[in-house]
C-alpha cells in the first residue's frame, strides 16, 4: 500500500463495497474480479445494470470483460503509460476537475509536465491499445459524475507496482473522484485478512495502525505498554529475509500460516534458504511443503474453531464466532503464541481474544472505538477512533490524511524482464476461480478440486501450432530461474507470445519461474511478468499420472 | 442433540463475506450464506460455499511435530514448545535479535497478528516481521 | 413476533411430541436457522423478517433432511411458509422426508411478500399464524414471453454470461437433494470455466426442476450475478402445468409428471 500512502498519507480501499454499485463509471485494472473477488463483481454487475460504463484494462480477456463497455488489452507491464495517456487526453480536452486540483492537491504542475509527453499515438504504440479506445476510456472515466477504480495484484505485482498505484491515484485526483460516495481508488485485497495483518503491524516498519517504528514517541508508548525495550530499526521484509538467510545473517524463521515454498517468487531460492536455516518453526493447519521443512510444527485452529476478528478489504472489522473444537490437539494460534512467548521468557496471559482486542484498541487510534460488544451487528469500518464513532464508510472526505493529495511525475518503465530471443514468451501468473493462494485450503476441498485439479498453461493457438503442441500436451516451461512442466490449454484469452499460469499448484509451481526482482519501495516481486521459453515434452499423455 | 448455525466470515478473499456454519452435535456439516451480512447479502462464491470441506479434511494437523533424524515425528505440546522456545533463545543470544525473522499470516485473526508482532518486537527484540500479502 | 407460533411450539416441546423445532433465531441483529429443543429458548424465535418481510428465509427443509438423516427415529417440527409446504409435499413424495415424523408450523405471508414472489399460494394449509393471502399472477414470465424467440435467447444468454458458477442456486435449493449432482460432471457440463457452458449449465438445471421446483425463490436470492432464475423455473412449472396438468407441491397424493409421461 506504499503507493497510496505516498499520495494520500494512508493506504486502504478508499470507499466501501456497497458503494460500487452506484458508480457511473468503473475502471477495473489488473483485477480478474469475477474470479478473484466474486462478490465485488456482483456490485459491478449491478452498476452495469443501472447504466454505468465499465472499462476493463487487462492483457487477458478475463470473464468480467463480458460485462464491460470497453476492454483495453494493454501489453504486459505498460500500465503507467496507459494511465499517463488517459491523463494526457483528459487534460487536453479540459475534463479535469480544476476546483478539486486547486483546493485539495499539490504539485499539479509536475504531473502536467510529464503527462505532456504521453500523446495518444505514443501510448498506443507502447500499450497496443488503439487511439480511439484510449479516447473513449478517458471520456467515460472523466465525464462520469462518480467514477471508481478497482485494482489488485495485476497492478502491484510489478517492479513498477508503486508507480502503477500512484498513477491511478493521480487519475482519481485529477478528476476529483475522491472523498465522495461511489468514487475512489480501491485495492481489492487478495487474502481475507491482509488488511488486518497490515493494520495489526505485521510489517517491518510500523506498529498497529501504521504507527512508525522510527517515531520515538510511538516507540516510547509501546515500550511503556509492553514493558520491553524496543528496536527503532526498520526490519526486513519477507522478500529480503530469504537472501539474508542465504548470506548467513538470518538464522531462524517463525512462519505462521504461510507457505512461501509455493507462494514466493523464485521459490526454489526460497526452498534453499529454508534448508539453510538453523531453526524453522511453522504454525499451520495443514502439513504444507513449508511445514515439511520445519524443525518444529505446531497445529493451529481454523477460522471456525476460534474467536477473533478479520478486517476485510473495505476496512470492516468483523467478529468470528467459534463453531467447533479444533481437531485432535490443535489449538487456536493466539494460545500457541502466548505459550511460546511465556516459555521464551516474555509472559503473556490473555484470557481471550476479546482481551487482546481491548489492548489493540488502547494502542491503536484507528481501532480506538472497536470493542467486541460493538462488533455484534454489521461490524465496524476503521477509522473508528472512539466508542461513540460509527466507523468510516469512505475516506478522505474534505481532507487527505496527509493534508493535500500529492501529485508527482511518473515515467513509464518497461518490465524488468522482457521477452528476448532466448526466452521468447512473456509469462503472467494469477488465480483460477476455485483455488486460493497456494491451495493448502482449497485443494483439500473435494468440490473445488473437482472443478480444477491440475495446473495448466494458457497459450494462444497460433503459438501452439508453431511449437506443434495441442490441447492437453505436456510442455516444459523454463525461465532464467528454473523450469516446470504443465499441460497446455489452448485459448486466445491473451495475445500472441503471452502465456498464463495459475500459481496454486505444488506439482507445477509457477513461482519457480517468476522474477524476484522487486519494486524498490513496496518490495513486491514482479509476479506478473517474466520471460520464458517453452518446449514440447516427449511423453505420452497416459504414461504419467502426475507431472515430474 | 444440538443443531445450530454459527455466524462466521469467509477465510478466502478480501471481500469478507458473512457465512453461517451448520453445526450438528459439535460437527460442522455445511455452510450457508448470511442473509444479514452487508457485504454479501445472502450470496457466496464457490469457495465460500465449500469452507466446511477443508475444515473437516482428514489432512488437518492434529499433533505437534518435531524433527528428529531428518524426519518429523509427533510430539507433545510440552516438548515442541520447549524446543521452539529454547532454540529461539539460543539463536537470539548467539547471533542477536536481528538474526530471527517472523512471517505472520493474512489468514489469521487480527488478535493473532497483533500477538505475533508483539512477541517479535517485545520478546525477540526485532522488527523483522512481515506477511506474505505483498505476494 | 407471533405468540401463536411460539405457543404452539412450546406446547409441542413441553408435551414431548417433538424432539425439536427447526426455525430461525435472532441473535444481536443476525437471524439464523436453529433447532429449538428447550421451550425456554423460544424468546429468541424469529420468523425471518428483517428489513422487508421474509427477507431472511433459509432453506429449512434442506436442513430438516440433514437432521432426519442423523436422527431417523425422532419427530421434529419445522417452520414453513406456503412454498415450504409445497416443498415438503414433494419431499415426502420423493422419499426424502417421512411425513409421519414432521409437524408443520405454518406461517402465512403478507401481501407485500406475495407480490414480490408473484406467489401461487402465499400461505400453507397448516396455517397457524399470518394472513391467508391472495394468489398473485406472474408478470415476469409474461414479460420474457413477450420477446420474440431470438431476443429471448439473447436475453437469457446475456443473463447467464454473468454466472460465476458458485453453485449457490443448487446449494440453497431445498429440492436439490441428489447425492451426485450431474451439473458438476465434466462430461455433462464442462468444468473449470466461468461463465459455465451457456446455456447448457442453466438449462440442465432447469430441466431437473421439472416436478421439483416449488417456486420459493431462494435460488434467485442467492445468485451473486442477480440472474432472474426464478422466472426461468416458474416457466418450467408453467409448462408442466400446461402439458400435464400438474402443479408441483399442490398435493402429496397427485402422481409426479414422470408418472404421467409413462401413462401417456
Ligand atoms: S465467499 Fe467468495 S467472494 Fe466471498 S469472501 Fe469468500 S472467496 Fe471472497
Ligand atoms: S413464495 Fe409464497 S409462500 Fe414462499 S415466501 Fe414467497 S409469498 Fe411466501
Ligand atoms: S441440479 Fe439436478 S442433479 Fe444437481 S442436485 Fe439439483 S436436481 Fe440434482
Ligand atoms: S425456486 Fe429455486 S430454490 Fe426454490 S425450489 Fe425452485 S429452483 Fe429450488
Ligand atoms: S447462483 Fe447464479 S452465479 Fe451461482 S451458479 Fe447459479 S446462476 Fe450461476
Amino acid at each position: 500500500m506504499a503507493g497510496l500512502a505516498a499520495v494520500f498519507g494512508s493506504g486502504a480501499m478508499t470507499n466501501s463495497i456497497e458503494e460500487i454499485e452506484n458508480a457511473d463509471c468503473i475502471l477495473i485494472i489488473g483485477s480478474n474480479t469475477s474470479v478473484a473477488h466474486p462478490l465485488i463483481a456482483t456490485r459491478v454487475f449491478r452498476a452495469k445494470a443501472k447504466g454505468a460504463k465499465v472499462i476493463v484494462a487487462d492483457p487477458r480477456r478475463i470473464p468480467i470483460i463480458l460485462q464491460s463497455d470497453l476492454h483495453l488489452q494493454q501489453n504486459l507491464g505498460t500500465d503507467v503509460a496507459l494511465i499517463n495517456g488517459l491523463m494526457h487526453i483528459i487534460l487536453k480536452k479540459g475534463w479535469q476537475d480544476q476546483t478539486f486540483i486547486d483546493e485539495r492537491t499539490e504539485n499539479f504542475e509536475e504531473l502536467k509536465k510529464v503527462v505532456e509527453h504521453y500523446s495518444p499515438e505514443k501510448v498506443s504504440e507502447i500499450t497496443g491499445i488503439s487511439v480511439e479506445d484510449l479516447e473513449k476510456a478517458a471520456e467515460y472515466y472523466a465525464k462520469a459524475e462518480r467514477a471508481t477504480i478497482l485494482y489488485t495484484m495485476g497492478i502491484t505485482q510489478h517492479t513498477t507496482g508503486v508507480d502503477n498505484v500512484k498513477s491511478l491515484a493521480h487519475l482519481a485526483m485529477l478528476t476529483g473522484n475522491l472523498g465522495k460516495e461511489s468514487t475512489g481508488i480501491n485495492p481489492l485485497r487478495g487474502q481475507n485478512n491482509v488488511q488486518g495483518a497490515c493494520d495489526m503491524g505485521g510489517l517491518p516498519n510500523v506498529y498497529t495502525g501504521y504507527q512508525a517504528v522510527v517515531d520515538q514517541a510511538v516507540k516510547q508508548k509501546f515500550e511503556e505498554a509492553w514493558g520491553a525495550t524496543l528496536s527503532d530499526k526498520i526490519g526486513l521484509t519477507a522478500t529480503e529475509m530469504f537472501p539474508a538467510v542465504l548470506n548467513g545473517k538470518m538464522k531462524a524463521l517463525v512462519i505462521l500460516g504461510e507457505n512461501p515454498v509455493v507462494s514466493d517468487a523464485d521459490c526454489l531460492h526460497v526452498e534453499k534458504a529454508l534448508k539453510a536455516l538453523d531453526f524453522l518453526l511453522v504454525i499451520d493447519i495443514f502439513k504444507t511443503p513449508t511445514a515439511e521443512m520445519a524443525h518444529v510444527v505446531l497445529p493451529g485452529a481454523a477460522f471456525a474453531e476460534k474467536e477473533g476478528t478479520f478486517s476485510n478489504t473495505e476496512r470492516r472489522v468483523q467478529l468470528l464466532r467459534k463453531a467447533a473444537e479444533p481437531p485432535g490437539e490443535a489449538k487456536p494460534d493466539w494460545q500457541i503464541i502466548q505459550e511460546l512467548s511465556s516459555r521464551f521468557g516474555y509472559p503473556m496471559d490473555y484470557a481471550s481474544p476479546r482481551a487482546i482486542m481491548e489492548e489493540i484498541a488502547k494502542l491503536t487510534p484507528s481501532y480506538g472505538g472497536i470493542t467486541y460488544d460493538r462488533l455484534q451487528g454489521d461490524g465496524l469500518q476503521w477509522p473508528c477512533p472512539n466508542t461513540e464513532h460509527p466507523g468510516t464508510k469512505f475516506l478522505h472526505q474534505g481532507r487527505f490524511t496527509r493534508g493535500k493529495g500529492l501529485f508527482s511525475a511518473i515515467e513509464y518503465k518497461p518490465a524488468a524482464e522482457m521477452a528476448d530471443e532466448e526466452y521468447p514468451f512473456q509469462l503472467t501468473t494469477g488465480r483460477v476461480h476455485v483455488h486460493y493462494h497456494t491451495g493448502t485450503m482449497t485443494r483439500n476441498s473435494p468440490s473445488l478440486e473437482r472443478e480444477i485439479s491440475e495446473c495448466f498453461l494458457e497459450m494462444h493457438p497460433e503459438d501452439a501450432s508453431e511449437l506443434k503442441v495441442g490441447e492437453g500436451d505436456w510442455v516444459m516451461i523454463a525461465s532464467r530461474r528454473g523450469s516446470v512442466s504443465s499441460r497446455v490449454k489452448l485459448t486466445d484469452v491473451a495475445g500472441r507470445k503471452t502465456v498464463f499460469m495459475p500459481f496454486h499448484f505444488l506439482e507445477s509451481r509457477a513461482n519457480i519461474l517468476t522474477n524476484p526482482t522487486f519494486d524498490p519501495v513496496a518490495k513486491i516481486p514482479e509476479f506478473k511478468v517474466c520471460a520464458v521459453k517453452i518446449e514440447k515434452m516427449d511423453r505420452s499423455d497416459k504414461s504419467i499420472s502426475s507431472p515430474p | 442433540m444440538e443443531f445450530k448455525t454459527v455466524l462466521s466470515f469467509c477465510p478466502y478473499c478480501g471481500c469478507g463475506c458473512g457465512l453461517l456454519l451448520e453445526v450438528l452435535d459439535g460437527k460442522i456439516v455445511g455452510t450457508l450464506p448470511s442473509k444479514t451480512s452487508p457485504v454479501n447479502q445472502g450470496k457466496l462464491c464457490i469457495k465460500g460455499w465449500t469452507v466446511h470441506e477443508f475444515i473437516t479434511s482428514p489432512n488437518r494437523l492434529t499433533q505437534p511435530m518435531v524433527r528428529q533424524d531428518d524426519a518429523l515425528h509427533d510430539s507433545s505440546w510440552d516438548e515442541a514448545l520447549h524446543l521452539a522456545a529454547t532454540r529461539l533463545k539460543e539463536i537470539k543470544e548467539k547471533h542477536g535479535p536481528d538474526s530471527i525473522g517472523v512471517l505472520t499470516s493474512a489468514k489469521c485473526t487480527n488478535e493473532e497478528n497483533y500477538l505475533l508482532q508483539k512477541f517479535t518486537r517485545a520478546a525477540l527484540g526485532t522488527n523483522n516481521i512481515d506477511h506474505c500479502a505483498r505476494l | 413476533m407471533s405468540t401463536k407460533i411460539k405457543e404452539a411450539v412450546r406446547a409441542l416441546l413441553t408435551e414431548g411430541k417433538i424432539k425439536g423445532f427447526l426455525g430461525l433465531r435472532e441473535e444481536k441483529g443476525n437471524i439464523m436457522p436453529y433447532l429449538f429443543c428447550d421451550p425456554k429458548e423460544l424468546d429468541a424465535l424469529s420468523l425471518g423478517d428483517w428489513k422487508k418481510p421474509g427477507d431472511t428465509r433459509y432453506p429449512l427443509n434442506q436442513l430438516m433432511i440433514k437432521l432426519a438423516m442423523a436422527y431417523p427415529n425422532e419427530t421434529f417440527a419445522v417452520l414453513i411458509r406456503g412454498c415450504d409446504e409445497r416443498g415438503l409435499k414433494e419431499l415426502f413424495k420423493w422419499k426424502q422426508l417421512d411425513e409421519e415424523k414432521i409437524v408443520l408450523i405454518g406461517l402465512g405471508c403478507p401481501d407485500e411478500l406475495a407480490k414480490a414472489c408473484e406467489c401461487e399460494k402465499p400461505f400453507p394449509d397448516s396455517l397457524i399464524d399470518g394472513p391467508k393471502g391472495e394468489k398473485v399472477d406472474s408478470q415476469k414470465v409474461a414479460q420474457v414471453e413477450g420477446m420474440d424467440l431470438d431476443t429471448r435467447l439473447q436475453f437469457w444468454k446475456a443473463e447467464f454470461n454473468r454466472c460465476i458458477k458458485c453453485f449457490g442456486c443448487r446449494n440453497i435449493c431445498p429440492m436439490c437433494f441428489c447425492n451426485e449432482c450431474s451439473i458438476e460432471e465434466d462430461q455433462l457440463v464442462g468444468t473449470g470455466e466461468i461463465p459455465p457452458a451457456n446455456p447448457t449449465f442453466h438449462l440442465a438445471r432447469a430441466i431437473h426442476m421439472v416436478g421439483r421446483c416449488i417456486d420459493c425463490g431462494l435460488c434467485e436470492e442467492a445468485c451473486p450475478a442477480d440472474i432472474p432464475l426464478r422466472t426461468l423455473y416458474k416457466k418450467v412449472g408453467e409448462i408442466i402445468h400446461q402439458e400435464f396438468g400438474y402443479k408441483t407441491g399442490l398435493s402429496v397424493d397427485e402422481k409426479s409428471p414422470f408418472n404421467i409421461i409413462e401413462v401417456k
Side-chain angles (χ1 to χ4, degrees):
Chain A
M1 295 301 106
L4 286 185
V7 183
F8 306 140
S10 71
M13 194 163 157
T14 58
N15 291 56
S16 294
I17 293 174
E18 63 168 63
E19 293 171 44
I20 297 169
E21 67 178 77
N22 293 318
D24 301 309
C25 176
I26 303 176
L27 170 61
I28 299 174
I29 180 161
S31 155
N32 193 351
T33 326
S34 30
V35 165
H37 295 90
L39 266 293
I40 285 174
T42 298
R43 306 294 179 151
V44 176
F45 299 158
R46 289 200 187 147
K48 171 85 181 146
K50 294 181 193 173
K53 293 269 188 244
V54 178
I55 310 165
V56 176
D58 200 287
R60 297 170 62 227
R61 293 197 298 119
I62 51 177
I64 194 100
I65 67 158
L66 293 171
Q67 309 306 323
S68 69
D69 296 274
L70 186 61
H71 176 209
L72 307 175
Q73 205 165 4
Q74 79 273 37
N75 294 329
L76 282 177
T78 62
D79 304 283
V80 167
L82 165 60
I83 302 157
N84 278 350
L86 296 180
M87 291 195 280
H88 179 101
I89 298 167
I90 290 169
L91 283 171
K92 203 143 180 204
K93 304 259 183 180
W95 291 333
Q96 73 271 30
D97 183 341
Q98 200 59 48
T99 324
F100 188 92
I101 297 169
D102 295 341
E103 286 173 5
R104 304 234 4 222
T105 71
E106 56 193 14
N107 227 8
F108 176 56
E109 289 309 314
E110 207 178 309
L111 174 90
K112 215 165 148 184
K113 237 187 288 158
V114 71
V115 166
E116 191 74 47
H117 309 299
Y118 288 81
S119 69
E121 292 70 26
K122 175 174 162 187
V123 171
S124 173
E125 173 86 31
I126 302 171
T127 59
I129 302 167
S130 72
V131 171
E132 199 193 334
D133 281 354
L134 288 169
E135 283 176 346
K136 230 194 260 173
E139 182 172 350
Y140 287 166
Y141 181 82
K143 287 199 162 170
E145 202 179 309
R146 297 175 300 262
T148 186
I149 300 171
L150 310 180
Y151 72 91
T152 66
M153 300 297 190
I155 279 294
T156 52
Q157 288 178 347
H158 288 283
T159 43
T160 58
V162 168
D163 285 354
N164 291 353
V165 174
K166 278 191 192 165
S167 293
L168 288 174
H170 294 163
L171 178 62
M173 289 202 295
L174 187 68
T175 49
N177 276 305
L178 279 164
K180 295 189 295 188
E181 270 212 66
S182 302
T183 63
I185 157 152
N186 298 297
L188 310 180
R189 299 300 210 144
Q191 296 189 57
N192 71 315
N193 203 30
V194 183
Q195 189 66 54
C198 295
D199 295 351
M200 290 302 107
L203 291 167
N205 58 337
V206 289
Y207 295 103
T208 59
Y210 310 95
Q211 304 174 77
V213 296
V214 293
D215 184 324
Q216 292 308 315
V218 168
K219 182 180 151 206
Q220 207 185 338
K221 172 172 104 175
F222 279 90
E223 285 186 333
E224 277 165 25
W226 290 351
T229 316
L230 300 171
S231 160
D232 55 7
K233 190 174 133 208
I234 291 176
L236 298 182
T237 63
T239 33
E240 289 165 332
M241 284 184 201
F242 300 110
V245 175
L246 287 172
N247 69 29
K249 289 209 178 80
M250 187 163 276
K251 302 287 182 191
L253 268 180
V254 177
I255 302 181
L256 173 66
E258 294 286 355
N259 189 13
V261 172
V262 182
S263 69
D264 285 26
D266 193 6
C267 52
L268 288 182
H269 199 74
V270 171
E271 229 177 277
K272 212 163 112 194
L274 294 185
K275 272 191 200 135
L277 282 168
D278 286 357
F279 185 69
L280 172 61
L281 168 64
V282 171
I283 309 171
D284 210 311
I285 62 170
F286 287 109
K287 201 172 179 186
T288 62
T290 304
E292 303 265 11
M293 303 179 68
H295 296 93
V296 175
V297 181
L298 302 175
F303 75 101
E305 297 153 356
K306 59 193 177 190
E307 269 204 314
T309 58
F310 285 152
S311 300
N312 80 349
T313 188
E314 53 168 4
R315 301 168 273 105
R316 186 185 298 275
V317 184
Q318 309 193 96
L319 182 62
L320 293 166
R321 282 81 169 168
K322 181 174 167 177
E325 292 298 328
E329 292 184 21
K331 285 187 202 183
D333 306 29
W334 63 272
Q335 278 178 13
I336 299 176
I337 299 160
Q338 85 175 11
E339 282 173 34
L340 177 69
S341 186
S342 300
R343 285 183 191 240
F344 186 86
Y346 182 79
M348 288 187 189
D349 187 19
Y350 298 91
S352 64
R354 179 189 279 264
I356 304 172
M357 184 49 87
E358 280 163 16
E359 183 173 316
I360 296 169
K362 244 181 256 153
L363 291 168
T364 316
S366 54
Y367 275 66
I370 292 178
T371 67
Y372 272 27
D373 289 332
R374 295 190 73 204
L375 292 178
Q376 295 295 342
D378 290 349
L380 283 166
Q381 285 174 286
W382 67 258
C384 176
N386 58 61
T387 48
E388 269 73 56
H389 196 283
T392 307
K393 190 164 147 187
F394 57 90
L395 302 177
H396 311 311
Q397 189 171 14
R399 149 173 215 288
F400 292 108
T401 314
R402 73 177 288 280
K404 288 197 165 189
L406 181 65
F407 280 114
S408 57
I410 295 175
E411 294 278 4
Y412 158 70
K413 291 183 225 81
E417 192 175 88
M418 298 295 275
D420 54 26
E421 236 165 74
E422 200 187 347
Y423 297 93
F425 288 89
Q426 280 198 309
L427 170 78
T428 182
T429 63
R431 293 169 191 255
V432 296
H433 72 291
V434 286
H435 289 298
Y436 169 78
H437 213 52
T438 67
T440 42
M441 299 193 285
T442 51
R443 300 207 63 203
N444 275 300
S445 174
S447 303
L448 301 177
E449 272 291 277
R450 190 186 293 120
E451 277 287 311
I452 299 175
S453 59
E454 195 176 64
C455 192
F456 55 84
L457 178 82
E458 282 184 5
M459 188 190 266
H460 195 280
E462 285 170 34
D463 291 333
S465 77
E466 267 174 26
L467 291 171
K468 300 202 170 40
V469 297
E471 179 82 23
D473 284 352
W474 284 96
V475 289
M476 183 64 83
I477 310 130
S479 76
R480 288 185 174 81
R481 290 154 293 276
S483 61
V484 296
S485 59
S486 168
R487 283 181 198 270
V488 165
K489 181 166 153 191
L490 300 184
T491 166
D492 58 359
V493 159
R496 298 264 336 243
K497 300 287 173 202
T498 300
V499 291
F500 166 84
M501 206 173 161
F503 62 85
H504 315 285
F505 300 90
L506 176 65
E507 307 89 293
S508 306
R509 273 186 286 171
N511 282 325
I512 286 180
L513 306 167
T514 49
N515 190 354
T517 309
F518 46 72
D519 181 285
V521 182
K523 314 235 160 96
I524 305 180
E526 186 144 60
F527 285 100
K528 292 295 167 187
V529 198
C530 75
V532 296
K533 62 181 170 192
I534 299 167
E535 273 164 31
K536 185 172 178 168
M537 280 171 76
D538 191 20
R539 349 172 127 250
S540 84
D541 206 357
K542 289 186 193 82
S543 68
I544 39 169
S545 51
S546 68
Chain B
M1 181 187 308
E2 188 198 37
F3 180 79
K4 58 180 179 182
T5 49
V6 178
L7 179 64
S8 192
F9 294 92
C10 179
Y12 290 118
C13 87
C15 293
C17 294
L19 45 85
L20 303 181
L21 296 163
E22 306 167 17
V23 188
L24 177 61
D25 296 329
K27 282 206 188 72
I28 298 173
V29 295
T31 309
L32 286 168
S34 157
K35 298 237 174 184
T36 42
S37 160
V39 174
N40 53 308
Q41 306 169 317
K43 306 154 196 292
L44 290 171
C45 81
I46 187 169
K47 296 191 286 294
W49 268 109
T50 52
V51 290
H52 57 282
E53 293 183 9
F54 88 81
I55 302 171
T56 53
S57 161
N59 298 334
R60 286 282 306 275
L61 287 175
T62 57
Q63 184 88 35
M65 288 184 290
V66 300
R67 183 168 297 280
Q68 237 167 31
D69 314 321
D70 226 37
L72 285 167
H73 296 278
D74 286 355
S75 81
S76 67
W77 272 104
D78 194 53
E79 184 193 349
L81 283 169
H82 177 77
L83 183 66
T86 321
R87 291 293 288 129
L88 289 172
K89 244 189 297 191
E90 284 167 10
I91 290 167
K92 179 180 172 182
E93 267 154 33
K94 196 157 157 214
H95 303 284
D98 289 336
S99 68
I100 306 177
V102 177
L103 291 178
T104 183
S105 176
K107 294 181 205 126
C108 288
T109 63
N110 288 331
E111 290 75 4
E112 288 160 350
N113 275 288
Y114 174 80
L115 276 203
L116 191 60
Q117 60 96 33
K118 182 176 178 182
F119 169 71
T120 309
R121 294 186 157 121
L124 296 177
T126 174
N127 284 314
N128 287 342
I129 179 157
D130 199 5
H131 59 90
C132 291
R134 19 185 109 238
L135 309 172
Chain C
M1 170 49 55
S2 159
T3 40
K4 278 193 207 160
I5 286 187
K6 223 183 271 179
E7 288 326 308
V9 174
R10 193 186 306 278
L12 287 167
L13 280 172
T14 31
E15 287 161 27
K17 290 202 174 121
I18 54 169
K19 189 79 191 171
F21 165 64
L22 184 61
L24 300 169
R25 184 169 76 162
E26 182 160 0
E27 199 197 322
K28 292 170 185 149
N30 297 299
I31 297 172
M32 300 177 290
Y34 185 72
L35 182 73
F36 295 84
C37 295
D38 183 345
K40 285 202 282 290
E41 299 172 315
L42 286 169
D43 286 339
L45 179 73
S46 156
L47 297 179
D49 298 336
W50 184 46
K51 288 181 178 157
K52 284 182 288 180
D55 62 351
T56 55
R57 293 181 300 128
Y58 282 95
L60 295 178
N61 284 348
Q62 189 191 78
L63 301 176
M64 197 61 242
I65 297 176
K66 283 188 193 172
L67 261 176
M69 274 210 291
Y71 293 97
N73 299 320
E74 304 291 354
T75 301
F76 296 97
V78 58
L79 178 71
I80 52 142
R81 294 174 184 263
C83 49
D84 302 313
E85 189 181 65
R86 297 196 285 274
L88 282 176
K89 286 180 183 167
E90 291 299 329
L91 290 170
F92 295 150
K93 218 178 280 181
W94 291 76
K95 301 282 173 266
Q96 298 302 307
L97 284 171
D98 181 352
E99 204 176 344
E100 308 283 300
K101 300 223 172 307
I102 307 280
V103 180
L104 278 57
I105 304 293
L107 172 68
C109 296
D111 287 349
E112 187 188 345
L113 182 56
K115 271 199 201 102
C117 290
E118 301 188 331
C119 184
E120 171 81 25
K121 184 166 167 282
F123 61 90
D125 295 336
S126 48
L127 187 67
I128 291 186
D129 202 4
K132 203 165 175 172
E134 295 285 316
K135 166 185 166 133
V136 182
D137 286 324
S138 168
Q139 288 172 5
K140 287 180 191 142
V141 174
Q143 245 166 40
V144 182
E145 295 270 276
M147 302 175 187
D148 64 58
L149 203 59
D150 202 42
T151 322
R152 215 185 308 161
L153 182 67
Q154 290 320 313
F155 166 79
W156 283 114
K157 287 197 85 163
E159 294 288 331
F160 297 156
N161 254 340
R162 292 196 303 268
C163 177
I164 58 160
K165 211 180 184 193
C166 66
F167 288 104
C169 46
R170 180 209 56 189
N171 293 346
I172 205 149
C173 176
M175 308 312 288
C176 269
F177 44 73
C178 310
N179 285 336
E180 297 294 328
C181 172
S182 50
I183 62 170
E184 282 182 346
E185 288 305 319
D186 193 28
Q187 287 95 331
L188 300 172
V189 185
T191 53
E193 296 286 344
I194 65 164
N198 184 352
T200 325
F201 178 82
H202 303 274
L203 293 190
R205 185 158 189 279
I207 290 166
H208 297 188
M209 287 303 115
V210 170
R212 282 200 187 202
C213 173
I214 42 76
D215 190 31
C216 64
L218 286 174
C219 50
E220 188 169 306
E221 284 179 12
C223 179
D226 292 335
I227 299 172
L229 295 168
R230 194 172 193 174
T231 307
L232 180 69
Y233 306 137
K234 267 186 200 282
K235 179 64 196 166
V236 171
E238 268 185 22
I239 296 173
I240 297 309
H241 182 55
Q242 277 158 17
E243 299 296 317
F244 304 100
Y246 185 83
K247 277 206 172 165
T248 312
L250 209 65
S251 99
V252 192
D253 307 319
E254 198 184 357
K255 286 194 166 171
S256 114
F258 297 113
N259 260 302
I260 304 168
I261 297 171
E262 221 175 307
V263 175
K264 273 194 175 175

